[in-house]
Amino acid sequence: MWTQTGRETKRRRRKRVMAAISSNVKLSGTFMLVVVLVGMMVLASTPTATAAVSCNTVNSKLMPCLGYVTGSGIGAPSATCCSGMRTLYASLKVAADRQAACRCIKTLTSRFANIIKLNVIKTLPNKCGINLPYTISPSINCDKLP
């Protein structure tokens, strides 16, 4: 009888220890979830320096210029073209945005390389009243843009 009771006591103790361990694991899992959620809230509420501009945005702003850069480049680009360029340029607040837009433009120019006239592209910012501190070209290193 003594040994049976001793075994039952050990089993109960073992169950209590296992329950405590299980409880701690659940608490630590819950704690980690809370930490992750709080971290996500903090990241979401702070401004970041990552590129917020997408290639879809860049493409949609520059598509009205496609007719101009595939033509002779004589005369002025359309008001829609220049408006899109100015809107895009004004939205590029941080270097990461400018670099992302640059990569998008390089992709866009390579996609239409057989019809786009690079000499016309180079003059487009000035014709739209935008003073870029660099020249648009297929060889530009986007990562070095300020």
Side-chain angles (χ1 to χ4, degrees), residues 59-91:
N59 295 348
S60 70
K61 298 295 181 196
L62 297 182
M63 271 304 161
C65 301
L66 190 59
Y68 184 77
V69 298
T70 58
S72 66
I74 297 173
S78 71
T80 309
C81 167
C82 288
S83 174
M85 285 194 65
R86 282 191 293 271
T87 302
L88 177 64
Y89 185 69
S91 71

Side-chain angles (χ1 to χ4, degrees), residues 1-73:
M1 183 102 177
W2 177 260
T3 59
Q4 185 72 15
T5 307
R7 284 185 191 155
E8 285 180 27
T9 304
K10 285 182 182 179
R11 281 187 195 147
R12 286 185 192 143
R13 192 177 311 136
R14 194 175 305 142
K15 281 185 181 180
R16 274 189 267 129
V17 168
M18 294 303 276
I21 290 171
S22 174
S23 168
N24 285 339
V25 168
K26 286 179 189 171
L27 283 177
S28 67
T30 303
F31 178 73
M32 288 303 293
L33 179 62
V34 169
V35 168
V36 168
L37 288 175
V38 168
M40 288 172 61
M41 288 175 14
V42 167
L43 287 175
S45 67
T46 56
T48 60
T50 60
V53 67
S54 71
C55 283
N56 286 338
T57 299
V58 172
N59 295 348
S60 70
K61 298 295 181 196
L62 297 182
M63 271 304 161
C65 301
L66 190 59
Y68 184 77
V69 298
T70 58
S72 66

Side-chain angles (χ1 to χ4, degrees), residues 74-123:
I74 297 173
S78 71
T80 309
C81 167
C82 288
S83 174
M85 285 194 65
R86 282 191 293 271
T87 302
L88 177 64
Y89 185 69
S91 71
L92 305 176
K93 302 286 186 202
V94 295
D97 283 340
R98 291 185 289 277
Q99 292 165 359
C102 175
R103 285 188 283 276
C104 295
I105 292 168
K106 282 181 79 167
T107 300
L108 194 61
T109 56
S110 69
R111 185 180 309 150
F112 295 104
N114 57 339
I115 60 171
I116 288 179
K117 297 181 176 145
L118 292 176
N119 59 332
V120 176
I121 288 178
K122 290 178 183 180
T123 65

